[in-house]
Amino acid sequence: MTEPHLEEFDFPPELKAQPLPVVGISGLDTLNNAVHRNVWEAFNNIKKQNRPLVNFKLITPDHEFPPRKPKKPSYECYIPKGILKRNWMDKHLNHAPAVVIMFYDLDWNDPQWAEKQTECASRVKSLKLTLDGRHTKIALVLIQQDPPIPNGEEIIGGEKSLSLIAECEINRNYLLLLPYNNNVDQMQGYVLNLQGTVYDMANLYFNQLIRDIKSHKSSLNKTIHAYLFIRHSFKIGFYSEMKAEYPAAHKHYAQAYYLVAEVKRTPTNVTEVKVVASYIMYKMAALSFVLNQAREAIQTFHGHVDKYKFKFGNELLLFEHHAWLMTITIFIITKDPLTELPLWRLPVSRSELDLSTIQSINSIFIMPSTSDLSMDIKHENPALLLECCTVSDPLQGQSTLDYYGQRPWRPGKLSAEPPDMKKEKDGIQALQYLEKTQVNHSVIIIGLLSDAIGQFNTYRCPRMKKYLVIQMAEEYLTSRDYGKALTLMSHMLGDYRTDHWSRLVSDIVKPGLYCAMVTASVREYLALSLDSDNLQSVLSNIHRVMNNEMPPVIQYTNHAHNLDELRALWAKNLSHEDNASIELELNPVYSCVRVKTRVVYEENRYKLSVFVRSLFLEPVTFSTLTVCIGHTDVLVASNVTFPPNLVVQLDTEFVPLSRHINTEVTITSVSLGMQTQYRKLVLKFIITKDPLTELPLWRLPVSRSELDLSTIQSINSIFIMPSTSDLSMDIKHENPALLLEWYPITITLSNQGSEPLVNLSLLLSCEDSENIDVSEDSNISNQTTTPGMAKFPLNKSLDSIAPSETYEMVVYVRCTVVTVKLLNVKVTYSHSSEPSIVLSKDESLKLDIMQAFEISASFLSDSFEPITVFHSNEPVLIQPLIACISPCTICIEDTSISIPDSIEMKQETKCQLELSTGQIVTCIASVVIKEPKNLCLGVFTVKWRRKDSSLGLVTSCIELPRVDVQPLPIQLSLNLPAHGLVRTPMTICYTLYNYLSTIVTVQIIMESSEAFIFSGYKRVTIKLVPDTEQEFKFKIYPQLSGLVVLPEFKINLVSKHEGVTQQQINDMVVRSIPSHIYVLPQAKNIELQPLSKVIAV
Amino acid sequence: MAVCVAVVSHNNSPKYIACVNPDNELEFHYKVHTSLDVIEEKLSNTGKSNTESREFYLGILYSTEEHTIYGYVTNTKVKFMIVTETSNKLLRDNEIRAMFRKLHSAYTHIICNPFYVPGDDIKSKYFEQMARSVMVS
């Protein structure tokens, strides 16, 4: 669809484009020459990677540059026909190059240097010829391929280059080199350098142009040349923008804008002034955004709108003025696909803007309120329109006019000339005709609205967005897209309703209802009817729909509808199976039926009350009333009729289910069902905790005979407690439990009520069921796995307990670590009269697990000395100590030490006694370790029970420590009588045993002693054969009595011997033989008698 | 001077909206409703700093070519809004402030009434009178 007159107000692409100097690239044959193609690509690449400084254009050899206008001899008699020329910006953006780069393939060492130099020079000259009269700069770039790539700076000063410059007649600085490389990326650096040079050249070019313009200034006359002043300022601004001197550009644009405002407006030039002013304003605002002054840009825009708001010119074309206002308004919010520039992108995140800027942005959208304007366009337009413009279209050639903003029927005319009335009239009529016939306002408006909605969404203005959505819906309605309008309206309705903006709700309901009626949307029609405040007809309309009848036609717009078609549509939709059952969600406080609920616990019953107040003007009957509480539906009443405006209370009992016990149940909804043979309608009132409906504490009690809904405090949730009164549970046990024992717990259930309890189930559970076993078997022994053993949780069910009967059960638990365990006992049961109600009772008990006794072990030598070093083949005494730490007396039935094979048990004593707290008992075992190695001395086992327990024995084991056993190379033992008598000879026998596998030579010395006279070897050297023993017998004759030191027996190694050291032998001697003997005095006959008496005592 | 006066509760539901010309009532409802966006924005910005010393008067919420909307929020987040005509350039900031203060004291007055339930729509003759005086003066 063409929109000729709107197009005029739209910003032309050349205005929106970012101005970049045009740089012509000539001499590249991209079609046939691969090298040239790559060079051209490298230039194109700049655009992708960096922000380009210039706009490269490929120029073919036969390119024609825009002709230069003949210079005006004098401005004095020149009268401008318009302000801005339509083709001027385009010319500088695309066609008139600031710089032309001439590419030429030439290496310094080219064999045909002379010929090529001449050819190159001739090309440059012909280029100069075509550009004759322009200030366009020319640069010559030599594409060089030969390695080594020379460094450009040094070579340019060379002889060859100088001759080239001279022949081409170009500036010495404008000869450049481009070392060619196949890799486009590597060439990038050279290309960027080149761009920089070219950019500087372009700046010179524009400086020249600006100077030219400024030179005209003196010859201009303010009265005649007002337009030229504007044009020149604009041009300077534009050139400055080309040079990327944005502040300067902004300054000149601002000057131009100021000059436009000065122009005297007449009906003939008002459009032109307006258009040009807004173009300049666009430039200014765009630059402000570039300069990061978003606020300034918005101010510029505001000021502009304020200034031109009421300058509408011809009354008949008021719509055009509004269109213009609208276009400049939306330019900020629409994203133009042509200009993917960063210019108009508003800062994305909110934090980038300070508050006032947000507000101004808000006000941009709100201020001219786009849709208002566009609606004006529509309504403004008089109905009288015309079938004119038949013969010759006065609008022909509108888009090809020389100047922006002029009327096609009056091109290039001066404002001072009196208008041709006939032409003027035709033109206006033609515009009106176009506006009427060819422009679909709704589409434009909806497009604008959706853009605005997008913006408000970004800036998080939910309410403004909603408002625009409503406007959009109304626009859809106007354009007869009832379905879309209805969808939008019903979506927004909910939000307005939750915030209680009833006035707005009722405003939306009316068109909504109309849309639903026209589109025969059954569900939406019913929903909107219930929201309507026209209560008179609501009920009858609903009844009609329920009975498959079409509701009455509503008139909202002047749109004409075919009644028969509507009827057919309704009939079709009413019989659709989707509409057979409809559920609508309603607010319990703000709907045509108001609902409150209470659930209370009274007299062992949960009482559920529903209060309903119908606002309909007639009595209304519902087939069902159900309440959803705790995810179960409770039918409160069926076939209930509510009189108008009276509160009806309906009570029922809520019977909690087992899953409700110990939870808080909440009423989530109340459903009112209405049913006819055709369809089922459910009004579902969602009960929520709405702070608005929560009554303040100080609300006055109103004493009225009838119920008032507002005074009823709703109670929507209740905690369901388990009923426990009839069953008592008693748990007996004797804390603490001892480690490893089977610990009995007695649970006694007794029925204290008057009726039997049935379906009992007892659950014994433990949160941490590691290391704990449970059993019901009283014969359970201490074995680790027995058939009677179970794991937690233990479940036991029981059929019934008669009144005043008890049931007792004993469970045994065994814990294998010292800890604290928490056991839970839970009994669920029900009364025989109401088996469906499950009641429960639970209790928990704490078990402290502790050890019965502590066992430690000590080790003694043959002579009962504590030892730390163990030697093989020497007897060791193991002495375990059992210290009772249990609070109750325990009986030790048996103890035993089990030893590994490498230890020989000589003798063992066992314990069998009672121990109370703090008592210690010991037993002993004599063992000989046969092999020198690291080994465990065995396991000590105690079998015990509690003194008063009848259960089996508990076996506790403790592992004796590991020890390192040292080897014993040579063993010495002494056979000595228990005591000696003074002056009575006796025989002692030393025995040496060699455990080594080699012969050991030792010297035996028996030192002399004062206390004894002895006979035998005093000093002898012998060989000890492996695994044999050798005896040394001595007859000793004690001289003194008392505890006497024996003569010292020494064993010396004669030579060094592997496996045995002298130190080892000395230690062994000290350890293995006694050093003293008790010598009794000689018995004297007279004294013998009393002595024997003493001994007898 | 004002063309519309509105009171909006702390949870953003309207409590009182009156305007000079009843024909425009709907328009003002929408305007007041959309201004809540700006109020919330302003409150969320100042909320971070010291709430106690916050000024009640929020200034211009926004202005369209026809109307200018001013906002005022009490400590309990009750919002007052006054809509004036943008063309009325004579109105000064001080006068707007005075209007708000007047409304605030009138609101306090009706809140003190033991028969008024906080949260209900305002249907008070006294308040009506005060609101009218703001609009007419």
Side-chain angles (χ1 to χ4, degrees), chain A residues 350 359 366 463-464 501, chain B residues 12-13 37 41 60-61 64:
Chain A
R350 263 200 143 164
Q359 265 181 284
I366 297 158
R463 296 183 184 84
M464 193 66 211
W501 286 79
Chain B
N12 292 339
S13 68
D37 280 339
E41 161 91 24
I60 295 180
L61 301 179
T64 69

Side-chain angles (χ1 to χ4, degrees), chain A residues 325-568:
Chain A
L325 254 184
M326 181 175 75
T327 328
I328 59 161
T329 308
I330 60 169
F331 84 97
I332 222 164
I333 55 174
T334 48
K335 289 176 288 297
D336 199 312
L338 278 174
T339 58
E340 283 170 326
L341 298 173
L343 296 185
W344 290 110
R345 210 171 300 144
L346 294 172
V348 183
S349 89
R350 263 200 143 164
S351 56
E352 286 175 33
L353 289 167
D354 57 275
L355 194 70
S356 56
T357 324
I358 299 169
Q359 265 181 284
S360 2
I361 288 173
N362 268 352
S363 55
I364 286 176
F365 300 113
I366 297 158
M367 193 203 65
S369 50
T370 40
S371 53
D372 287 355
L373 290 176
S374 40
M375 270 177 231
D376 285 349
I377 296 178
K378 234 175 338 177
H379 305 310
E380 202 86 36
N381 201 8
L384 55 115
L385 260 215
L386 27 122
E387 295 298 321
C388 76
C389 338
T390 41
V391 192
S392 65
D393 186 356
L395 302 184
Q396 241 172 17
Q398 176 164 17
S399 51
T400 53
L401 288 177
D402 275 355
Y403 293 90
Y404 286 122
Q406 291 193 339
R407 296 293 190 197
W409 61 86
R410 204 170 55 213
K413 289 273 168 60
L414 290 182
S415 48
E417 287 177 38
D420 176 344
M421 290 318 285
K422 169 77 176 71
K423 266 194 177 178
E424 202 80 350
K425 193 171 167 249
D426 281 354
I428 290 169
Q429 280 185 341
L431 277 180
Q432 284 177 333
Y433 173 73
L434 271 176
E435 196 268 338
K436 183 72 181 171
T437 52
Q438 294 195 4
V439 184
N440 185 342
H441 294 295
S442 290
V443 170
I444 301 169
I445 292 165
I446 288 165
L448 297 180
L449 281 172
S450 75
D451 283 337
I453 288 168
Q455 277 297 328
F456 282 114
N457 216 7
T458 315
Y459 289 99
R460 271 171 270 145
C461 300
R463 296 183 184 84
M464 193 66 211
K465 196 185 105 187
K466 268 174 229 158
Y467 180 38
L468 292 180
V469 171
I470 294 298
Q471 290 188 337
M472 198 185 214
E474 273 164 12
E475 205 50 56
Y476 274 122
L477 179 62
T478 326
S479 62
R480 301 190 171 218
D481 195 342
Y482 304 111
K484 273 185 186 158
L486 180 60
T487 317
L488 291 178
M489 284 180 185
S490 15
H491 276 144
M492 290 306 117
L493 208 54
D495 291 332
Y496 282 116
R497 210 188 291 128
T498 43
D499 271 0
H500 311 293
W501 286 79
S502 49
R503 178 74 180 79
L504 301 183
V505 170
S506 60
D507 173 56
I508 300 165
V509 165
K510 259 180 237 160
L513 209 53
Y514 170 73
C515 288
M517 214 285 301
V518 172
T519 52
S521 316
V522 180
R523 191 194 168 81
E524 283 75 11
Y525 183 81
L526 288 173
L528 288 163
S529 296
L530 289 166
D531 275 321
S532 160
D533 38 358
N534 179 11
L535 290 164
Q536 236 152 11
S537 54
V538 169
L539 204 55
S540 67
N541 289 351
I542 291 175
H543 281 306
R544 288 179 80 151
V545 173
M546 292 298 287
N547 290 316
N548 264 10
E549 284 172 41
M550 182 188 157
V553 177
I554 312 161
Q555 272 308 327
Y556 182 76
T557 56
N558 51 7
H559 296 179
H561 298 284
N562 185 332
L563 215 57
D564 291 335
E565 275 177 22
L566 257 184
R567 216 167 268 141

Side-chain angles (χ1 to χ4, degrees), chain A residues 808-880:
Chain A
E808 188 179 278
M809 76 177 276
V810 184
V811 289
Y812 300 91
V813 296
R814 181 179 68 171
C815 196
T816 52
V817 287
V818 175
T819 176
V820 176
K821 291 278 180 188
L822 214 63
L823 299 185
N824 294 315
V825 186
K826 183 177 181 184
V827 186
T828 56
Y829 61 98
S830 41
H831 290 271
S832 60
S833 56
E834 288 172 81
S836 64
I837 302 172
V838 180
L839 307 165
S840 78
K841 187 176 181 85
D842 54 5
E843 213 159 300
S844 64
L845 58 125
K846 196 174 96 174
L847 291 186
D848 298 311
I849 319 292
M850 61 182 295
Q851 278 189 312
F853 38 71
E854 269 175 354
I855 297 173
S856 56
S858 56
F859 304 95
L860 307 171
S861 74
D862 222 0
S863 46
F864 289 92
E865 300 288 333
I867 55 169
T868 50
V869 183
F870 293 81
H871 289 91
S872 57
N873 295 311
E874 272 185 358
V876 177
L877 300 176
I878 302 174
Q879 189 187 31

Side-chain angles (χ1 to χ4, degrees), chain A residues 258-276:
Chain A
Y258 172 74
L259 290 170
V260 172
E262 300 265 287
V263 170
K264 196 180 166 224
R265 277 177 298 275
T266 61
T268 48
N269 76 350
V270 66
T271 11
E272 185 174 7
V273 169
K274 261 190 323 200
V275 166
V276 171

Side-chain angles (χ1 to χ4, degrees), chain A residues 24-29 36 39-40 43 56 58 100-106 120 123 139-143 178 194:
Chain A
I25 288 184
S26 130
L28 284 186
D29 182 4
H36 290 181
V39 171
W40 175 232
F43 278 100
F56 289 108
L58 204 57
V100 175
I101 308 177
M102 177 90 203
F103 280 90
Y104 195 75
D105 296 274
L106 188 61
C120 175
R123 279 199 196 183
L140 178 63
V141 177
L142 301 184
I143 302 174
L178 180 70
L194 200 64

